[in-house]
Amino acid sequence: DDLDCMSANNASDSAAIGRFIVSQSLGQSADAKRCFAAELRRPEVAPSGGWCCKSSSLWCAGCGHNFLWSGADEHVADNIPLLLGLPKSTAPCERRLPGELEAALCLVDRVSRRLKPLGFVVLDNLSQQEGDLVRSEVQQTGTLIAVEYRSAYGMSLLGFCLRGRRVGEIVSLEGLGDFYTRAGLPGVAAEVHAWHSVRRSPTMGPEAMISRYVKSFDVEDTQMGWLTGILLGYPLWTTAARYHSGALTLRPADRRGGEAACEAVMRHLPIDEVDEEDPEGVPSEVLVGGGRGRPSGTRIVMRSGERGILV
């Protein structure tokens, strides 16, 4: 039983994770491989050092582990507990699928410890008891904003992030734009630099609140792949390779630079209705702890019909 092995092996399988990252980055595109080789020849780059959003290493434990939740490989997604060496949960609850509870609890922990900006748990993969346990873990952090909703694809999801965290705290947008220029993607670079130029906006630019994307951000959207990668904490080169391979696309209107690119980005913000009185942009009904003027432990029906999580 794979789950029985989890309690005995509490070390991550770095070799297997590394092979997965390489297959989903350099293995996806010869252009990406060529640009990465050129990047390694830059004297200021330390290939083995640091969070990859601050250096140009292929991956680090932070972003590499985050990418296991990407769904890029179904076998990898099904074996996250084994790859990360997670201990088997001893919670006395009905189990639906092997390892799903452990992976979900790990995701909550990673987001709460600032290792992953956004987290999404597919509640359909959990039993009712497992789902309640995950909801309880989210609540007990006391720092997470969480929303339970049904996606456009019909999946029941629990999305969550740290309250008050901003895009500029994850990555330097200026540095990210420069990275995409060196990665041979000038159109992507123009869009990122356009975001960097925006100031004092809770919906875009370095001061954008991550919570604005908890419910309204479509992780399947290929129109702003660089933003998807940043918000989900993925290695930069996996995103760059997907652009080079054609798996990610750039809107034609955004292939220009400067103000034109900025205007195009602003016209296509991936954001639904938000509460403009609250910089977090999440309706008060679904904030962890009950929100403004709402008692803890209340389930509220939202305007669009989705449910807030039970807190």
Side-chain angles (χ1 to χ4, degrees):
D1 184 357
D2 285 346
L3 286 179
D4 289 339
C5 298
M6 290 162 52
S7 59
N9 177 22
N10 296 134
S12 62
D13 189 341
S14 296
I17 295 172
R19 289 192 297 270
F20 171 56
I21 299 299
V22 171
S23 72
Q24 296 298 319
S25 54
L26 308 187
Q28 294 290 310
S29 164
D31 288 334
K33 187 174 183 178
R34 173 179 51 78
C35 291
F36 178 69
E39 189 78 350
L40 293 185
R41 289 194 291 269
R42 298 175 66 234
E44 63 271 31
V45 171
S48 62
W51 175 267
C52 71
C53 293
K54 295 180 180 178
S55 74
S56 293
S57 58
L58 186 59
W59 69 287
C60 65
C63 64
H65 290 184
N66 289 342
F67 197 65
L68 299 179
W69 278 271
S70 67
D73 185 300
E74 185 176 345
H75 180 72
V76 167
D78 290 341
N79 287 279
I80 289 175
L82 291 174
L83 289 168
L84 295 183
L86 303 179
K88 182 178 180 180
S89 173
T90 58
C93 61
E94 177 189 355
R95 305 298 292 265
R96 174 166 292 179
L97 295 171
E100 288 291 336
L101 176 60
E102 287 77 12
L105 294 176
C106 178
L107 195 58
V108 173
D109 177 68
R110 292 187 67 80
V111 174
S112 68
R113 291 195 293 126
R114 308 177 74 87
L115 296 176
K116 197 175 193 301
L118 269 178
F120 294 92
V121 170
V122 181
L123 295 174
D124 298 319
N125 293 341
L126 303 175
S127 69
Q128 180 63 48
Q129 292 179 334
E130 288 176 313
D132 289 343
L133 179 59
V134 173
R135 295 182 183 94
S136 176
E137 288 295 315
V138 169
Q139 177 194 356
Q140 290 178 24
T141 66
T143 59
L144 296 179
I145 288 178
V147 180
E148 183 177 335
Y149 67 102
R150 189 164 293 279
S151 74
Y153 300 93
M155 296 185 296
S156 180
L157 299 177
L158 178 65
F160 44 90
C161 71
L162 276 174
R163 183 189 304 272
R165 200 173 186 192
R166 300 176 184 272
V167 171
E169 297 175 27
I170 308 172
V171 64
S172 163
L173 290 174
E174 181 178 22
L176 183 65
D178 293 342
F179 163 80
Y180 278 113
T181 297
R182 299 193 304 273
L185 297 164
V188 181
E191 186 169 275
V192 176
H193 282 304
W195 261 61
H196 173 65
S197 69
V198 177
R199 292 294 181 269
R200 302 182 62 82
S201 170
T203 59
M204 66 179 299
E207 296 179 49
M209 306 297 296
I210 296 174
S211 56
R212 292 266 170 161
Y213 303 95
V214 170
K215 186 175 79 70
S216 57
F217 186 65
D218 181 5
V219 298
E220 299 294 333
D221 180 20
T222 61
Q223 298 298 310
M224 298 186 76
W226 65 268
L227 182 59
T228 300
I230 291 303
L231 292 176
L232 297 178
Y234 294 163
L236 293 182
W237 284 102
T238 60
T239 304
R242 295 191 71 199
Y243 274 114
H244 278 296
S245 69
L248 292 175
T249 59
L250 190 67
R251 289 184 298 272
D254 297 348
R255 296 180 186 276
R256 300 164 291 173
E259 295 182 0
C262 185
E263 291 174 0
V265 172
M266 294 181 71
R267 287 196 301 270
H268 293 88
L269 283 178
I271 296 178
D272 295 332
E273 294 183 14
V274 295
D275 182 356
E276 294 299 342
E277 296 180 0
D278 185 344
E280 297 284 0
V282 179
S284 60
E285 295 95 319
V286 297
L287 295 181
V288 169
R292 300 188 301 271
R294 296 289 184 183
S296 179
T298 301
R299 187 182 293 276
I300 302 296
V301 178
M302 297 165 55
R303 292 188 300 272
S304 57
E306 292 93 346
R307 296 178 299 170
I309 69 168
L310 188 62
V311 293

